Amino acid sequence: MQKAFDTVQHNILLHKLFNYGVRGTVQNWFHSYLNQRCHFTVIGKVNSPMSFVNCGIPQSSVLGPLWFLVYINDIKNACPDTNIKLFADDANLFVEGDSELELTDKVNKLLEKISLWCTANQLSLSPDKNML
């Protein structure tokens, strides 16, 4: 995924957490933690202006990697007949076929499904990292 942690949409993440049973006070706490966040940069004695963070999850937090896994865990539903291994912002897809033509067809259909899932979840594939 391209800029995966930076492009996680808060509303989609909160919806997925809700679907996994995170509700009530904990859901409200996560909502509060994600929304109204701001950041700035300091170089020497100069500070940039504060700006609000509209999407993304903190990578240096304890919850960031867990939230990202929750965010992408349902990618398996997009291609239920495919063996997918997830690790952080990387995914490995394993496809089998009896011929190069069959493999090409399967991979193209799979990439189309993954692309649709990425669009629905507002994530982008990193074309430089895609390898067959």
Side-chain angles (χ1 to χ4, degrees), residues 1-126:
M1 304 290 170
Q2 189 172 32
K3 298 183 180 182
F5 280 74
D6 295 335
T7 56
V8 167
Q9 299 299 309
H10 297 161
N11 60 332
I12 295 173
L13 173 61
L14 290 167
H15 180 75
K16 289 180 182 204
L17 286 166
F18 182 86
N19 287 338
Y20 281 114
V22 177
R23 298 184 176 130
T25 302
V26 176
Q27 175 83 0
N28 292 338
W29 183 76
F30 286 162
H31 182 272
S32 173
Y33 181 80
L34 290 169
N35 290 302
Q36 301 301 316
R37 296 180 66 83
C38 56
H39 64 177
F40 66 97
T41 303
V42 177
I43 300 175
K45 295 182 180 182
V46 179
N47 296 349
S48 71
M50 289 250 210
S51 63
F52 281 99
V53 178
N54 298 322
C55 65
I57 48 179
Q59 295 179 43
S60 59
S61 71
V62 173
L63 291 173
L66 176 64
W67 279 345
F68 187 74
L69 288 174
V70 166
Y71 198 81
I72 66 167
N73 191 52
D74 63 349
I75 196 171
K76 296 174 185 179
N77 298 338
C79 6
D81 299 330
T82 304
N83 184 6
I84 300 177
K85 302 293 182 196
L86 302 173
F87 181 76
D89 60 345
D90 288 323
N92 291 313
L93 311 169
F94 299 89
V95 181
E96 295 179 25
D98 293 327
S99 69
E100 186 176 339
L101 182 61
E102 181 184 357
L103 280 173
T104 302
D105 185 53
K106 284 184 176 183
V107 168
N108 284 333
K109 288 177 181 173
L110 179 60
L111 288 174
E112 186 176 324
K113 290 177 183 179
I114 296 291
S115 179
L116 289 171
W117 180 90
C118 285
T119 299
N121 288 277
Q122 298 182 19
L123 292 174
S124 299
L125 292 175
S126 182

